[in-house]
Amino acid sequence: MTSVTSQSGPPICALPALVADGCAALILTSDGEIETLESTALRRRLQDMPHLVCHRAFTARRLGLTHNRRQDNLFNLHTADIMELFAFVLPVHFCLPTPRSLAQALGIDEPDSAIQEALVLHRATGILMGYLASGNYAYGDRAFASACLLRDHGWPWGEAVVEALMSQQKGVGAEISVSGSALDALSVWRDLAEWRDVSPYDQLQDDTPPTSQSIEQRLAVLKGVDAEARTPQDDYAQAAGLAFAAFEEPNRPHVALVEAGTGTGKTLGYIAPASLWAEQNAGPVWISTYTRNLQHQLQRELTRLNDLPGWRGKSGVVIRKGRENYLCLLNMQAIMQRASAGLDTVAATLVARWARYSRSGDMSDDFPTWLLANNGHSLRREMLADRRGDCIYDACPHYRKCFIERVVRDSRQARIVVANHALVLRWAASQTLLDDTTDDISSGASDATRYIFDEGHHLFDTADGAFSTDLTISEAAELRRWLLGTQGDRVRGARHQDGLAARLENNMADDATLAELVAKVQEAALVLPASGWGQRLESNRPHEIAERFFTLVRRQVHDRADGERNPYSLEASVWPPDKALVGAAQDMAQALVRLAESLEAVVATLREGDEVEPQHRLRRFVLWLEEIKRWRMMLSDLVSPDAENIDDGKQEVFVDWLSVDKREGREYDTGLHRHYLDPTEPFARYVLHSSHGALITSATLHDPFLDDEHEVDNWRQATFRTGARHLPEPAKRFRFASPFDYAVQTRVFVVSDMGRSDDMECVAEAYRALFLASGGGALGLFTAISRLRSVHERIAPTLHEAGLALFAQHVDALDAGTLVDLFQNEHNSCLLGTDAFRDGIDVSGASLRLMVMERTPWPRPNILHRARRAHFGGRLYDDGLARLRLRQAFGRLIRKRSDRGVFVLLDNRAPGRILSALPEDVIPERLPLDEIVGATETFLGR
């Protein structure tokens, strides 16, 4: 193995490799010597010389160093992280932060012991250094300047990387000035190509539906010649094709509700008719999923279209996400300025390396999210992405190279656009206010006449968020920041220091009237919450009108919800409002009227100027104006002298309440909320009615488990959760059962000696025993983040000592998709999560062989839920939701015919009517925990 020297000490490739072996540290020297050290001895060892590790944060956690600041800092300062080297050398290659994934990425034999993991670190170092020294290194642009910058800021790999790069650059001197090259290393926008503007699809000229025969043929091509014959999939594809029938009459779309049990193959089933319709009619089909993780799963399936004529390239498939998922180059510029001054230089430079070669700038795609979860820097993902309302569009110096704008234009001419529910419904909500061209997901969305909503059972909850109104102090403070700017915001640079004035600086230079109007807006905005509002609310010392209103909102909530002694988020009814709150609401409403009038005058002036302001730059103005209008409407109802009758009249449409939100016992927001009682009504009005056809599909749509005595249509749940009940004629309905033999492939247990326990030691013991019984491959689901963290803290040492990696949502600073990838890749690992992992993930094989739910997934009985429960059927509504969630969770366990798994519910009070959500051939067994542990070991062959 070739050695190159580090900045000080022994050659970097000769450093000892350190991995976690249980709760102890196993160290392998380059000479093959092995040591096992506990924390005290490890601290002494780290002080003597640096060590190679695979992801500092993960390794430190497994060694139990994360609760000791001194040891944690020592670990950060005296380790060379192989994942940082990987991110530098192969900036857009997929690799998870584990030795196993590192071995897979570099073609090394996968390790099956701690010693082999350590050996992987040595071998990986040599391979990566070899890439740098080779004459055909593929990622050489600005690599040398980046390496010099990192070296001079103390990166452990810096000197070694510089020397490796110098070995292929003959004639380059060893002493190179970084002063002129640092900017070259970090200014990634200089090397990005500009996007070209394109026109969206012309108005649809034809609407030829795919034939039954063509759907059958296309599905056969997509499955491949060696594919298993799956008759349910063929039938499903024909049912999905009904959403693409020829359009006949406005506001009467062809809508199909199609349930397809796990294993049916619904993704290829609907891709077949969708791709045919898009080909034949030169129009886009929008496929909407629930999560980003599902988008990537769908993207993999859609690559099968690449072998068909005309489908490869930008005119084929485009993945669209919200702006918050993409790297913002203007934010990047501000962070690079900090990096060149020595702040978060390593992390920022590695992010710049990724951005230079990224396909789309999508930070939920090929971005190394684990990089920002590492210790030793303050850089966070939200600092890199676009924040709501902050985009200045073509006023930005990087606009013509913007990742977001590039994807928007690609989607305008794509045949299939893959989005998510939140994005599509946010677009639908904005279309009530804006011209199509101002939309966040591009004018191409307005040309879509056909939709596919996968995981359609989530449409109700997504619509609930998209069409709601929330007048909270954080939202009001956000509006103030947008209008007045944030002084001293070092993260985002000078861009927002003057708020609205900065955005319109060029316009105001030649228009004194506009400058006066902007000044009036700024004056009116002074009534909004200023920085530090949290402390003033708690101390009852509000500034200005808005803070006084929110202080009284907070007081009413605390008075009615016993808030002083409650560590959790609080809510209270609006009605009847306290007299003081009514007066404050009236003042707040009047202040918002003045602000809206001033802002409307600015917008009118911009629209009438000599150079008409581009519509997309006015988008945020109009959205804020509409938000203010909705706030005023809620406040007007609150101050009306006939408020109680107003409440009675609106309760069939809206639900209003007050809240104080807490996180880990600390208040972080308070406000007034208004949600639709049935949010699928606006979804049907603005999406379904305006489409020509829509497929709404899921593994859990209808509810076949209702008692016969109720004589209720078992598709009732599907129609009210998807908006189908608001259609002028009934949707077509189909159901295809799963092909799996659940009676053979699964065992389901309910722990008979555990109720809905608040004794977290008891709950943790159950998880500990079951996870050890399965030997990993275990997913634990929780109803509350606090309970998840409590169990994680209690079971982590035991599992690590047993050699089982434990990952946890809300503990590990990683997104859900990366955690799922880690769980899938590390076959004997365990994962703890909340609702995000109850559905929408696809982990097959032995990686998921045990699923444990701590409680029956009843809906939370808050004010909004109680109103909907009364409206949608009382107990039947609650039971339907619980069954839906249980079915979705169970559906994660078996993904192939070869899978085997155990499902355990730690709640002996779960009623049989809820357990009937499980497949008909599955009989739940109620047993004590110790018997379930033994049965789990036996069934899984442990």
Side-chain angles (χ1 to χ4, degrees), residues 330-481:
L330 196 53
N331 286 2
M332 185 76 173
Q333 182 176 355
I335 289 171
M336 294 305 108
Q337 291 171 351
R338 299 174 67 213
S340 61
L343 298 173
D344 297 328
T345 304
V346 173
T349 305
L350 295 178
V351 170
R353 292 278 294 158
W354 166 80
R356 193 178 304 280
Y357 294 100
S358 174
R359 295 187 298 270
S360 62
D362 180 357
M363 292 191 295
S364 58
D365 183 12
D366 54 6
F367 182 74
T369 55
W370 42 262
L371 176 65
L372 303 185
N374 221 344
N375 296 340
H377 61 78
S378 60
L379 189 60
R380 297 291 178 264
R381 185 181 184 276
E382 56 269 21
M383 296 163 62
L384 295 164
D386 181 38
R387 284 169 53 180
R388 188 195 66 181
D390 282 346
C391 184
I392 54 178
Y393 296 95
D394 52 3
C396 175
H398 311 305
Y399 179 69
R400 300 294 301 185
K401 297 182 177 182
C402 175
F403 288 118
I404 304 167
E405 296 299 326
R406 187 186 308 278
V407 175
V408 164
R409 280 150 185 79
D410 290 347
S411 67
R412 286 178 177 174
Q413 294 191 325
R415 291 180 173 179
I416 290 180
V417 179
V418 180
N420 56 62
H421 296 346
L423 188 66
V424 173
L425 269 62
R426 190 164 68 233
W427 161 74
S430 72
Q431 292 314 290
T432 65
L433 323 172
L434 307 168
D435 178 81
D436 292 341
T437 58
T438 67
D439 178 60
D440 189 33
I441 60 174
S442 89
S443 59
S446 65
D447 299 310
T449 62
R450 307 289 171 154
Y451 293 94
I452 296 173
F453 292 99
D454 200 348
E455 301 295 317
H457 62 280
H458 282 293
L459 285 171
F460 188 97
D461 293 330
T462 309
D464 187 34
F467 297 102
S468 63
T469 302
D470 302 286
L471 172 53
T472 68
I473 192 166
S474 63
E475 284 289 294
E478 174 73 9
L479 174 56
R480 177 185 173 118
R481 187 190 70 83

Side-chain angles (χ1 to χ4, degrees), residues 610-677:
D610 293 335
E611 295 183 6
V612 178
E613 189 75 3
Q615 285 294 308
H616 55 246
R617 291 186 63 186
L618 294 177
R619 175 181 184 275
R620 194 63 219 167
F621 290 81
V622 179
L623 287 176
W624 273 124
L625 281 169
E626 177 61 22
E627 192 73 5
I628 294 171
K629 175 183 175 182
R630 292 173 177 170
W631 290 350
R632 289 163 49 195
M633 187 180 300
M634 287 196 296
L635 294 170
S636 296
D637 291 346
L638 190 63
V639 303
S640 170
D642 198 22
E644 293 186 5
N645 292 334
I646 287 178
D647 180 43
D648 292 339
K650 289 182 177 291
Q651 64 182 355
E652 294 183 1
V653 180
F654 298 112
V655 181
D656 294 352
W657 75 96
L658 307 174
S659 73
V660 171
D661 293 323
K662 297 184 179 182
R663 184 181 294 125
E664 297 181 352
R666 297 179 63 94
E667 294 183 12
Y668 69 91
D669 206 359
T670 188
L672 170 63
H673 307 271
R674 170 168 287 178
H675 285 225
Y676 275 87
L677 188 61

Side-chain angles (χ1 to χ4, degrees), residues 144 148 151 159 166 172-178:
F144 191 79
C148 290
R151 176 197 62 187
E159 188 70 28
M166 286 178 63
V172 178
E175 296 298 326
I176 297 177
S177 172
V178 182

Side-chain angles (χ1 to χ4, degrees), residues 483 498-522 602 605-606 613 617 621:
L483 294 172
D498 297 315
L500 187 62
R503 291 180 176 83
L504 301 180
E505 183 177 5
N506 293 336
N507 304 70
M508 294 188 298
D510 301 320
D511 191 337
T513 301
L514 179 61
E516 292 178 3
L517 293 175
V518 169
K520 289 182 179 180
V521 171
Q522 292 176 316
V602 169
T605 302
L606 290 172
E613 189 75 3
R617 291 186 63 186
F621 290 81

